[in-house]
Amino acid sequence: AIVINNVAGAPFAMSGTDNTIVIPAVMISLSDGDALKAAMIEESVNASLDAVDAITPDGDFDSGIITHEYGHGISTRLTGGPANSNCLNNREQMGEGWSDFFGLMLTTDWQTAASTDPRGIGTYVLGQSTEGTGIRTYPYTIDTMVNPFTYADISNAPLNSSGVPSVHYIGSVWCTMLWEMTWSIIAMEGVDPDMYDGDGGNNIAMQLVIDGLKLQPCSPGFVDGRNAILLADELNYGGIHKCAIWNAFARRGLGVNASQGSSNVHNDGVESYAIPSGV
């Protein structure tokens, strides 16, 4: 169906809610439509759709961004319990980090992935390769020469005009730690390319993060998030991954002596690179 715009100007994208209508449709401008109708008076007209050489990059076509946004529904509804969706409004909350993590986990080709591969968020919309920096300060990788984030960096989060620190900056530090933890567990358990029904280290890391969301308190800080993941490992797996988890977090400054201070303040934390004795 060719739809002609009834007013001057460029055609626009059409939408609807009736999924039983499956006729392909395209809109053309009023001027093009007038020319088409004039031609149809004189003769039969056949129309065809030509392939477009290039599509303007848009977040709607970026699987990582789509997964990221759905991830907010998970973190806000699991933190503090299913009846409370207002638990991620504090200054040190890590909501953007969990969403980046979900985007990474569900768009990684686990058959070929390596721990030092740089993974950017939003690379498609910026016209970058999948190894580009994307829309964050650094791409995600366990290579500290490429992504040097540690816990102390959240105190450097840019402030908006109201003095609120950037949730994306703080979140990207948290996701860096989760990505570090994922590969630390993979080193123990291996990789399973089946992200949905597999039992590899990548699957275990995803389960620990999900269950950690359920176990952490309302308005969590980084230490709260770390401790919830350790508890999830104890409950789910008898704590067999605690060494991998502690080493991963300690490598990024969230070791056993780290202090988050108040989770409502983003720049009062103290980092630590120590792991518990006996781990």
Side-chain angles (χ1 to χ4, degrees):
I2 298 177
V3 179
I4 301 171
N5 197 352
N6 65 338
V7 295
F12 53 88
M14 299 177 290
S15 63
T17 58
D18 189 345
N19 292 327
T20 65
I21 300 174
V22 295
I23 301 172
V26 64
M27 178 181 284
I28 61 176
S29 67
L30 177 61
S31 58
D32 288 340
D34 288 342
L36 177 61
K37 289 187 289 185
M40 292 173 65
I41 295 175
E42 303 295 331
E43 58 185 328
S44 297
V45 175
N46 293 318
S48 62
L49 293 176
D50 291 334
V52 178
D53 292 334
I55 298 176
T56 301
D58 187 275
D60 291 338
F61 300 113
D62 191 316
S63 296
I65 289 178
I66 297 299
T67 307
H68 171 104
E69 299 304 339
Y70 272 106
H72 285 300
I74 298 172
S75 60
T76 57
R77 284 161 177 79
L78 293 185
T79 302
N84 188 352
S85 60
N86 294 305
C87 280
L88 293 180
N89 297 312
N90 55 301
R91 295 293 176 91
E92 198 175 310
Q93 63 93 0
M94 305 89 85
E96 297 296 337
W98 283 301
S99 284
D100 276 5
F101 175 75
F102 294 140
L104 292 176
M105 295 297 283
L106 295 177
T107 60
T108 292
D109 182 352
W110 291 107
Q111 296 187 33
T112 61
S115 60
T116 55
D117 291 343
R119 291 294 313 281
I121 298 295
T123 52
Y124 172 77
V125 295
L126 295 181
Q128 300 175 355
S129 72
T130 55
E131 296 183 347
T133 300
I135 56 178
R136 301 290 181 250
T137 306
Y138 305 109
Y140 292 112
T141 173
I142 72 166
D143 186 347
T144 56
M145 297 298 292
V146 177
N147 182 337
F149 267 149
T150 68
Y151 182 45
D153 285 307
I154 70 170
S155 64
N156 300 320
L159 307 179
N160 66 15
S161 58
S162 300
V164 177
S166 168
V167 293
H168 295 95
Y169 187 94
I170 291 174
S172 63
V173 177
W174 178 245
C175 183
T176 297
M177 295 180 180
L178 296 182
W179 198 235
E180 189 89 42
M181 181 197 76
T182 297
W183 284 101
S184 187
I185 296 175
I186 286 173
M188 285 183 63
E189 305 284 1
V191 169
D192 194 318
D194 185 348
M195 196 59 227
Y196 299 96
D197 298 308
D199 56 6
N202 47 328
N203 305 94
I204 292 169
M206 176 70 98
Q207 189 66 59
L208 292 177
V209 169
I210 291 290
D211 289 344
L213 287 167
K214 303 173 188 176
L215 294 168
Q216 67 189 2
C218 189
S219 302
F222 277 51
V223 172
D224 294 323
R226 180 204 66 194
N227 290 346
I229 289 173
L230 285 162
L231 178 57
D233 184 59
E234 184 66 36
L235 295 174
N236 289 342
Y237 306 105
I240 62 175
H241 306 105
K242 65 180 180 181
C243 182
I245 296 169
W246 271 116
N247 277 289
F249 279 110
R251 189 166 185 255
R252 295 291 181 165
L254 203 66
V256 66
N257 296 320
S259 170
Q260 71 185 27
S262 169
S263 66
N264 289 308
V265 179
H266 77 288
N267 57 2
D268 65 343
V270 177
E271 68 177 13
S272 165
Y273 293 88
I275 60 174
S277 59
V279 172

